[in-house]
Amino acid sequence: MIELRHVTAGYPGHLVLEDVSLTLPSGKITALIGPNGCGKTTLLRAACGLLPLAGGQIFFGGRELGQFRRREFARLVALLPQTRDVPAIRVEQLVAHGRYPHLSFGRDLTQADREKIRWAMEVTGTTALQNKELSQLSGGERQRVYLAMTLSQDTDILFLDEPTTYLDIGQKYEMLELIARVNALGKTVVMVLHDLSLAFSYSHQVLVLEQGKIAAQGEAQPVFDSGVPARVFGVSSQRITLDGRKEYLFLPH
């Protein structure tokens, strides 16, 4: 379980999160939604220790964030950031970077490491790209490669900041189906999504941020039914059943 207690965080001269307290359940998919600038990415960065706190505490399994050694924490939590560089590197080499927290002093990949790398590339559909330079790939291909690197890290917790960036609608569904399969392996997933319909369709829990504070949090359907997401985004919402599947619609007023 991940717990934020009275967390305040932001950037020099600009606090983004103010007195935020929340619990992210283990083994579930939690979606963070909210308008641009509301603090979604800031929350992920703070929870990963990449952003100093101006106040409050963050706990993983009852242990405070500051008590983890860097390598130890990297074996527990993997982060897929929203924006990334495009280094001059082959795909397979990049995916192998996910294994670094697990390597011994010599930094040599073991057979187990190589198997984990192969698995991550297979499930993300990037095996055929393994010998290509990252710069040769489309935005969608690079997104899947970076997810493969995140999966190869083999952590219990995945923080994903806009994992569907650069993907077309079919690829977005493929990505979220993949995330659901990874979650079914027992992984805790916390992801920022701008696509509200997908956020509610694929998440167990939804957390709505508004101007750096929690506007609503809880199981996906009750949060949707509360009307808070529609109010925060200034739209109308409707839940329908299509071919036996619940779909969440957000429409202009």
Side-chain angles (χ1 to χ4, degrees), residues 126-178:
T126 55
T127 303
L129 306 174
Q130 60 185 339
N131 293 318
K132 287 191 174 183
E133 291 282 332
L134 205 62
S135 60
Q136 296 176 314
L137 306 183
S138 68
E141 288 172 333
R142 282 199 297 270
Q143 188 72 354
R144 289 189 286 122
V145 168
Y146 272 102
L147 180 63
M149 181 182 72
T150 305
L151 293 181
S152 76
Q153 196 169 329
D154 194 25
T155 58
D156 292 334
I157 300 169
L158 299 173
F159 285 162
L160 310 177
D161 195 355
E162 277 300 316
T164 59
T165 299
Y166 304 120
L167 303 182
D168 62 34
I169 185 62
Q171 292 171 330
K172 286 182 179 182
Y173 277 103
E174 289 176 3
M175 178 66 75
L176 287 165
E177 289 289 343
L178 168 59

Side-chain angles (χ1 to χ4, degrees), residues 47-73:
C48 287
L50 298 176
L51 196 63
L53 302 184
Q57 297 171 293
I58 299 175
F59 296 85
F60 288 81
R63 185 177 173 188
E64 191 171 6
L65 174 60
Q67 296 178 351
F68 287 89
R69 297 186 302 276
R70 183 175 179 180
R71 179 183 286 253
E72 181 186 18
F73 190 73

Side-chain angles (χ1 to χ4, degrees), residues 7-215:
V7 166
T8 297
Y11 306 92
H14 176 53
L15 292 178
V16 179
L17 299 176
E18 297 184 40
D19 195 26
V20 170
S21 295
L22 60 91
T23 299
L24 302 172
S26 299
K28 302 292 185 181
I29 299 176
T30 299
L32 308 182
I33 64 173
N36 290 337
C38 70
K40 302 183 296 296
T41 295
T42 300
L43 191 154
L44 285 192
R45 286 176 56 81
C48 287
L50 298 176
L51 196 63
L53 302 184
Q57 297 171 293
I58 299 175
F59 296 85
F60 288 81
R63 185 177 173 188
E64 191 171 6
L65 174 60
Q67 296 178 351
F68 287 89
R69 297 186 302 276
R70 183 175 179 180
R71 179 183 286 253
E72 181 186 18
F73 190 73
R75 292 175 178 174
L76 175 67
V77 177
L79 169 67
L80 177 69
Q82 184 177 24
T83 57
R84 296 163 301 278
D85 295 330
V86 184
I89 191 174
R90 289 189 302 107
V91 166
E92 188 175 27
Q93 291 175 305
L94 181 70
V95 178
H97 278 282
R99 299 305 301 162
Y100 282 8
H102 302 273
L103 300 185
S104 61
F105 181 76
R107 295 268 177 168
D108 294 323
L109 293 171
T110 65
Q111 182 61 29
D113 291 321
R114 297 186 187 282
E115 289 175 359
K116 187 62 65 174
I117 292 166
R118 282 197 294 269
W119 169 81
M121 296 183 72
E122 286 173 2
V123 298
T124 54
T126 55
T127 303
L129 306 174
Q130 60 185 339
N131 293 318
K132 287 191 174 183
E133 291 282 332
L134 205 62
S135 60
Q136 296 176 314
L137 306 183
S138 68
E141 288 172 333
R142 282 199 297 270
Q143 188 72 354
R144 289 189 286 122
V145 168
Y146 272 102
L147 180 63
M149 181 182 72
T150 305
L151 293 181
S152 76
Q153 196 169 329
D154 194 25
T155 58
D156 292 334
I157 300 169
L158 299 173
F159 285 162
L160 310 177
D161 195 355
E162 277 300 316
T164 59
T165 299
Y166 304 120
L167 303 182
D168 62 34
I169 185 62
Q171 292 171 330
K172 286 182 179 182
Y173 277 103
E174 289 176 3
M175 178 66 75
L176 287 165
E177 289 289 343
L178 168 59
I179 291 170
R181 292 199 300 273
V182 170
N183 167 251
L185 298 175
K187 309 286 189 182
T188 299
V189 179
V190 182
M191 59 181 180
V192 172
L193 282 181
H194 281 297
D195 190 315
L196 301 184
S197 298
L198 294 179
F200 280 94
S201 294
Y202 281 92
S203 304
H204 302 104
Q205 304 272 325
V206 174
L207 190 153
V208 186
L209 280 168
E210 183 181 20
Q211 296 181 350
K213 297 183 178 180
I214 305 298

